[in-house]
């Protein structure tokens, strides 16, 4: 997303800046504020310089982005004529299509907790308590009919009553929690599938960015769009007219009751103030994902683990803004006090809206400081705050609203940023280009040519020999009768091309060992058997499975934080408008805090991609005959997993309580009881027992015996 969308939490008015668009007066900046801003700007620039050192992560990102885009280094492309085969680009595209092939779906799950305080959770004890209370009730009724005094009738056992009350209270609580969980699931899937945001494309871009740069980021925000409420505005106008009428009457009247200090006048004044505070309504609200660039996030160099941000005390998010944009967002005029960033000729310069010309930009940093639990905005070169330190508007238990996606993790004490796929394959890409360019030059140098001593032929003679038509008779001025052409002209010797000098099979072997892509994934194989390709494909899918785990971990943590944010911020009216009138949503903040500890959103496994789809499908088909015979197996999860592997929406395909398709077809195929049979047990289906409905020809199913782990890729098999 753009920087403007990422700055959805920029305030309308900021202490220390202009609170009125027409005001040019600025408040005085204290010395302590200047020192605080100077210290943080220096800290951020020092960390940025640390990451921009030679072979540092930011330098590697610049190199990898250029190599993945062009398929060769800048020096190789300068002439514009050298041979380029962008195999890294194809590897990245194939990996992205495998890793993020579908829209992930979240499922709200209850955390495991012990809710019963009296009942032990066993059905036998609950049944025993119900029977004991029933017996006590019957005995009390019989005693009352016999004329016994109420004091003489023993009450039910309080322990049994407590068990039933405990079970009933937990049951009601569970129904409420399950309703909230279902509402959370619908909400999350609604925002993820919103057409206006196109999150699938943005998450695919995130995976591609991570493959190229080794790390990508997702930022979780919350948007709430407000607009004027016309109904309230009308009421304000009405009450204003009433007050004006009252004042007019007070001016004309001589009675002492008609003064501005009357009770009715005070009541109208307070009513107008209340309506003015509520003159807006919520038009749209919900979680908002943005995707900062890899180099725009500056993490505390003390970080110990990038994926979880363990050890990082602060994170700075960098924006490039013109002074006009800064004044518009934060109402702070920095035009005379900021460090200008001059745009070079190779980059697109920002334009000033007011002056209609190119404008210098300033670096703005949003800092999240975990030590103080605050966030603030500062500008490079400006001595004061753009936004002073305050608790973050997106309040999460993990504090940081930045979620990293990291592939190819390594263990290093000097550099926590791992190498990306492009960085690992850089030598292979360059060597492939050199091999193909060398073969190209060899072929060019081996083009047919002839050699003659200088002065052997005139210029016209050489032109005749070089451009004659087929079958032409060439007359040469320098040739005398009896002269042999072989004495004056001979073919240029050529060096035969040795295929071993320019073979690329070894490069593809290294590519498979380094980034997990084999030659069959990029094009036809060279003398590779189907078995070799199948084994290599299995190795590739295992490597992809590790990346799928990383992606699913990110999506699960992001989904859990999104659920936490929605429970904190979303109004009941918006939830019911999205989910429906049956939505269950806690009203009180205290209840919402309890529910956050009770429910978590998790990404359904395998819903984001399909790298091992064929292998998992084969395992499922092998296991199903045995699973069908196991007692106590819940068929719903098995059906959901099987349909996910077939790319069928399990939510629409599975309805709990319905019989199987086979059972429905069998029931529909049985003859009606009122219809007479044939009388012959051999031909009457009604007289053949349960086997009579199953004797129709069946469709062929899975062949018996072990199934392949996955289909072998199409490969060129030599005859």
């Amino acid at each position: 997303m753009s920087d403007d969308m990422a700055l959805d939490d920029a305030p309308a008015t900021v202490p220390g800046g202009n609170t009125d668009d027409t005001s040019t007066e600025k408040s005085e900046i204290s010395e302590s504020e200047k020192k605080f801003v100077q210290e943080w700007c220096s800290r951020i620039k020092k960390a940025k310089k640390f990451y921009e050192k030679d072979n540092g992560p930011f330098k590697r990102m610049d190199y990898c982005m250029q190599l993945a885009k062009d398929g060769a280094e800048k020096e190789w492309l300068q002439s514009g004529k050298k041979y380029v085969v962008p195999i890294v680009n194809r590897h990245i595209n194939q990996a992205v299509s495998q890793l993020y092939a579908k829209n992930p779906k979240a499922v709200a799950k209850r955390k495991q907790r012990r809710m019963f305080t009296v009942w032990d959770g066993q059905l036998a004890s609950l049944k025993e308590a119900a029977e004991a209370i029933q017996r006590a009730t019957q005995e009390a009724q019989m005693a009352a009919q016999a004329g016994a005094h109420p004091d003489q009738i023993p009450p039910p056992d309080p322990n049994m009553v407590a068990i039933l009350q405990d079970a009933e209270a937990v049951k009601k609580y569970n129904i409420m929690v399950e309703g909230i969980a279902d509402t959370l699931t619908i909400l999350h899937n609604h925002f993820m599938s919103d057409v206006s945001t196109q999150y699938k494309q943005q998450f695919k871009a995130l995976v591609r960015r991570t493959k190229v740069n080794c790390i990508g980021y997702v930022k979780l925000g919350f948007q709430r769009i407000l607009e004027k409420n016309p109904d309230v505005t009308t009421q304000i106008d009405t009450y204003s007219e009433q007050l004006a009428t009252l004042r007019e009457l007070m001016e004309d009247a001589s009675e002492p009751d008609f003064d501005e200090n009357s009770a009715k006048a005070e009541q109208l004044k307070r009513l107008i103030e209340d309506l003015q505070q509520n003159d807006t309504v919520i038009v749209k609200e919900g979680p908002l994902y943005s995707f900062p660039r890899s180099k725009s996030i500056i993490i505390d160099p003390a970080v110990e683990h990038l994926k979880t941000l363990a050890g990082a005390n602060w994170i700075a998010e960098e924006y490039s803004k013109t002074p006009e944009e800064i004044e518009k967002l934060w109402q702070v005029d920095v035009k005379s006090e900021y460090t200008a960033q001059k745009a070079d000729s190779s980059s697109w310069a920002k334009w000033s809206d007011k002056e209609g010309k190119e404008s210098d930009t300033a670096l703005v940093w949003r800092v999240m400081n975990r030590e103080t639990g605050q966030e603030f905005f500062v500008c490079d070169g400006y001595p004061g705050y753009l936004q002073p330190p305050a608790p973050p508007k997106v309040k999460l238990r993990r504090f940081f609203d930045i979620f990293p996606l990291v592939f190819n993790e390594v263990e290093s004490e000097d550099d926590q940023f791992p190498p990306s796929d492009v960085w690992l394959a850089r030598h292979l890409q360059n060597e492939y280009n050199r091999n193909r360019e060398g073969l190209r030059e060899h072929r060019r140098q081996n083009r047919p040519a002839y050699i003659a001593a200088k002065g052997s032929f005139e210029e016209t003679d050489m032109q005749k020999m070089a451009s004659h038509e087929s079958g032409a008779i060439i007359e040469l001025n320098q040739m005398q009768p009896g002269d042999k052409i072989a004495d004056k002209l001979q073919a240029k010797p050529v060096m035969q091309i040795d295929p071993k000098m320019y073979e690329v099979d070894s490069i593809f072997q290294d590519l498979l060992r380094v980034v997990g892509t084999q030659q069959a994934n990029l094009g036809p194989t060279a003398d590779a058997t189907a078995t070799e390709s199948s084994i290599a494909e299995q190795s590739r899918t295992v490597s992809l499975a590790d990346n799928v785990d990383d992606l699913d971990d990110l999506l699960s943590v992001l989904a859990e934080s999104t659920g936490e944010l929605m429970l904190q911020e979303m109004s009941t009216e918006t939830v019911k408008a999205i989910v429906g009138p049956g939505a269950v949503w806690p009203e009180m903040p205290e209840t919402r805090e309890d529910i956050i500890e009770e429910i978590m959103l998790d990404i359904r496994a395998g819903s984001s991609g399909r790298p091992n789809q064929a292998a998992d499908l084969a395992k499922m088909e092998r296991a199903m005959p045995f699973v069908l015979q196991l007692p106590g197996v819940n068929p719903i999860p098995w059906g959901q997993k099987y349909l996910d592997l077939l790319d069928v929406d399990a939510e629409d395909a599975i309805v709990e309580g319905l019989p199987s398709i086979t059972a429905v077809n069998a029931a529909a195929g049985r003859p009606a009881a009122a219809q007479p049979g044939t009388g012959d047990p051999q031909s009457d289906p009604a007289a053949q027992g349960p086997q009579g409905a199953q004797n129709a020809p069946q469709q062929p199913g899975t062949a018996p015996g072990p199934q392949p782990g996955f289909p072998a890729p199409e490969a060129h098999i030599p005859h």
Side-chain angles (χ1 to χ4, degrees):
M1 282 191 175
S2 64
D3 290 348
D4 293 339
M5 297 184 69
L7 289 173
D8 56 278
D9 53 352
T13 57
V14 181
N18 297 336
T19 58
D20 187 357
D21 293 340
T22 61
S23 174
T24 58
E25 184 178 349
K26 292 198 300 183
S27 60
E28 192 70 24
I29 301 175
S30 64
E31 289 298 324
S32 59
E33 179 179 341
K34 292 180 180 180
K35 291 182 178 179
F36 181 88
V37 172
Q38 183 180 7
E39 178 183 342
W40 271 103
C41 289
S42 176
R43 183 181 302 180
I44 295 170
K45 288 190 285 187
K46 186 176 181 180
K48 187 177 179 181
K49 185 177 180 180
F50 173 77
Y51 290 133
E52 289 178 342
K53 63 183 179 181
D54 291 340
N55 289 327
F58 284 6
K59 287 290 186 181
R60 296 201 301 265
M61 290 177 191
D62 290 336
Y63 177 87
C64 291
M65 285 188 286
Q66 184 272 323
L67 183 64
K69 179 176 69 73
D70 298 327
E73 295 179 343
K74 290 182 179 179
E75 294 77 7
W76 188 264
L77 299 170
Q78 284 179 353
S79 64
K81 297 181 180 180
K82 290 190 175 181
Y83 203 94
V84 175
V85 182
I87 57 176
V88 169
N89 184 281
R90 181 172 174 83
H91 158 72
I92 296 297
N93 289 335
Q94 285 194 334
V96 171
S97 66
Q98 289 284 342
L99 288 174
Y100 199 88
K102 299 180 292 184
N103 288 324
K105 294 186 177 181
V107 179
K109 299 179 180 179
R110 290 192 59 185
K111 298 178 182 178
Q112 189 173 1
R113 300 181 65 186
R114 291 184 59 86
M115 301 300 299
F116 300 107
T117 58
V118 180
W119 180 38
D120 59 1
Q122 301 295 325
L123 292 178
S125 60
L126 184 63
K127 183 178 180 182
E128 180 183 354
E131 292 175 350
I133 293 177
Q134 185 178 6
R135 287 195 304 269
T137 304
Q138 292 175 354
E139 292 174 358
Q141 292 176 353
M142 293 174 60
Q145 292 175 0
H149 191 274
D151 295 339
Q152 297 176 350
I153 301 175
D157 187 354
N159 294 328
M160 301 295 106
V161 175
I163 289 176
L164 289 181
Q165 291 177 346
D166 187 28
E168 184 66 22
V170 173
K171 179 181 178 181
K172 291 181 179 179
Y173 182 77
N174 288 342
I175 292 175
M176 180 196 69
V177 173
E178 290 172 1
I180 296 176
D182 190 36
T183 302
L184 265 179
T185 301
I186 297 174
L187 277 176
H188 180 273
N189 294 335
H190 166 79
F191 289 115
M192 285 295 293
S193 59
D194 189 358
V195 179
S196 62
T197 56
Q198 297 187 358
Y199 282 137
K200 178 178 180 178
Q201 300 300 326
Q202 297 193 65
F203 274 103
K204 289 186 72 173
L206 169 69
V207 175
R208 180 177 291 105
R209 183 175 298 146
T210 306
K211 279 289 183 180
V212 174
N213 291 341
C214 86
I215 190 169
Y217 301 98
V218 185
K219 178 184 174 183
L220 175 60
F222 190 84
Q223 66 172 350
R224 181 176 285 114
I225 302 176
L226 305 176
E227 70 177 12
K228 291 291 183 180
N229 187 349
D231 297 332
V232 175
T233 306
T234 303
Q235 294 180 43
I236 293 176
D237 295 339
T238 302
Y239 290 119
S240 299
E241 292 177 1
Q242 293 180 2
L243 185 58
T245 303
L246 180 60
R247 287 177 176 173
E248 183 179 353
L249 290 174
M250 287 189 297
E251 292 177 359
D252 297 338
S254 58
E255 290 81 4
D257 294 338
F258 292 92
D259 62 351
E260 294 185 356
N261 297 324
S262 64
K264 189 173 183 179
E266 179 66 19
Q267 182 181 2
L268 288 175
K269 290 179 183 179
R270 297 304 176 189
L271 181 58
I272 290 176
E273 291 178 0
D274 292 340
L275 289 174
Q276 287 174 341
Q277 293 177 359
N278 298 280
D279 64 341
T280 56
V281 293
I282 298 174
V283 176
K284 183 179 181 181
E285 66 174 348
L288 178 69
Y289 301 122
S290 56
F291 302 82
R293 299 290 183 181
S294 299
K295 292 176 60 177
S296 66
I297 301 298
I298 305 171
I299 302 177
D300 181 5
V303 63
E304 298 176 357
H305 189 223
L306 271 183
K307 187 180 294 185
T308 60
L309 297 177
N313 296 319
W314 57 271
I315 289 180
E317 183 178 4
E318 184 176 275
Y319 307 97
S320 179
K321 296 292 179 184
T322 64
E324 291 79 10
E325 290 174 330
I326 293 174
E327 186 173 5
K328 181 180 178 181
L329 289 169
W330 290 281
Q331 289 75 50
V332 178
D333 185 7
V334 300
K335 292 180 181 178
S336 59
E337 297 179 282
Y338 74 96
T339 303
Q341 304 293 315
K342 300 290 185 180
D344 54 24
S345 58
S346 62
S347 61
W348 176 259
K350 287 199 172 187
W351 291 72
S352 172
D353 294 335
K354 295 181 179 180
E355 300 176 0
K357 63 180 183 180
E358 292 185 10
S359 174
D360 296 333
T361 58
L363 294 182
V364 176
W365 293 301
R366 179 183 75 104
V367 182
M368 298 192 73
N369 188 1
R370 179 151 54 183
E371 293 180 334
T372 60
Q374 295 177 319
E375 70 173 5
F376 53 89
F377 285 81
V378 293
C379 175
D380 185 19
Y382 182 70
Y385 302 122
L386 296 184
Q387 178 179 323
K393 292 188 176 182
V394 176
K395 299 179 179 63
L396 302 175
R397 287 175 294 177
R398 72 191 300 271
F399 182 70
F400 293 124
D401 57 11
I402 301 293
F403 298 80
L405 175 61
V406 182
F407 294 148
N408 306 330
E409 281 192 292
V410 294
E411 181 64 25
S412 174
E413 296 183 358
D414 300 328
D415 188 358
Q416 296 298 325
F417 287 80
S420 67
D421 282 17
V422 177
W423 182 260
L424 292 173
R426 66 191 188 281
H427 294 307
L428 309 179
Q429 173 68 79
N430 295 329
E431 186 64 22
Y432 194 100
N433 290 338
R434 283 192 290 266
N435 277 18
R436 305 306 288 178
E437 177 66 20
L439 178 60
R440 184 190 195 186
E441 292 177 353
H442 198 155
R443 287 174 175 172
R444 185 183 295 112
Q445 293 171 0
N446 275 356
R447 287 178 298 179
Y450 298 92
I451 299 175
K454 188 175 181 179
S456 299
F457 301 100
E458 295 180 357
E459 184 69 23
T460 56
D461 292 344
M462 290 188 290
Q463 292 179 358
K464 290 179 182 179
M465 289 187 291
S467 60
H468 66 82
E469 296 181 357
S470 177
I473 298 176
I474 304 173
E475 295 181 353
L476 302 177
N477 296 329
Q478 294 291 99
M479 291 289 296
Q480 301 296 327
D483 291 346
K484 294 181 179 180
I485 189 66
D487 295 338
K488 293 189 175 184
L489 186 69
Q490 54 183 320
K492 182 193 74 172
V494 298
M495 182 180 295
Q496 295 298 324
I497 297 178
D498 185 1
K500 295 181 180 179
M501 293 179 59
Y502 306 106
E503 60 87 19
V504 294
D505 292 343
S506 59
I507 297 178
F508 283 114
Q509 293 175 9
D510 293 341
L511 192 68
L512 176 61
R513 295 185 179 100
V514 173
V515 295
T517 295
Q518 62 165 330
Q519 189 174 2
N521 301 125
L522 303 177
T525 60
D527 300 332
T529 65
T531 303
E532 292 173 343
S533 298
S534 180
I535 294 174
E537 180 68 8
Q538 184 177 9
S539 174
R540 187 182 72 90
T541 54
V542 170
S543 175
L544 275 176
D546 179 60
N547 292 157
V548 169
D549 290 339
D550 294 333
L551 179 59
D552 284 349
D553 289 342
L554 167 73
L555 294 174
S556 296
V557 175
L558 187 61
E560 184 176 358
S561 298
T562 302
E564 178 185 347
L565 182 62
M566 289 191 297
L567 280 170
Q568 289 178 353
E569 300 291 343
M570 291 197 67
S571 62
T572 306
E573 292 77 11
T574 303
V575 172
K576 289 187 176 181
I578 295 174
V579 178
V584 182
W585 201 248
E587 296 286 349
M588 304 300 294
E590 297 80 7
T591 307
R592 295 189 177 193
E593 292 293 335
D594 295 338
I595 295 299
I596 290 174
E597 300 295 335
E598 184 79 18
I599 302 176
M600 62 175 292
L601 276 173
D602 193 14
I603 295 297
R604 183 188 299 171
S607 63
S608 60
R610 49 175 184 267
N612 293 327
Q613 184 180 20
D616 291 341
L617 190 59
K619 294 176 184 178
M620 178 72 72
E621 292 174 349
R622 292 173 187 170
M624 286 304 295
F626 301 98
V627 173
L628 294 176
Q629 303 178 42
L630 295 176
V633 174
N634 183 7
I636 300 300
W638 287 89
Q640 290 178 341
K641 177 65 176 177
Y642 191 65
L643 291 174
D644 284 340
L645 292 174
L646 297 176
D647 287 335
V648 177
D649 191 354
E651 294 181 0
D652 297 333
I654 296 180
V655 178
E656 295 190 27
L658 287 183
S660 66
I661 298 177
T662 303
V664 172
N665 292 339
R670 295 193 185 102
Q675 295 178 353
T678 62
D680 184 4
Q682 299 297 327
S683 60
D684 187 359
Q688 296 176 12
Q691 291 79 13
Q694 303 292 342
N695 58 6
Q698 302 292 322
Q699 293 292 332
T702 304
Q707 303 299 311
F710 41 79
E714 296 182 2
H716 172 69
I717 303 177
H719 297 287

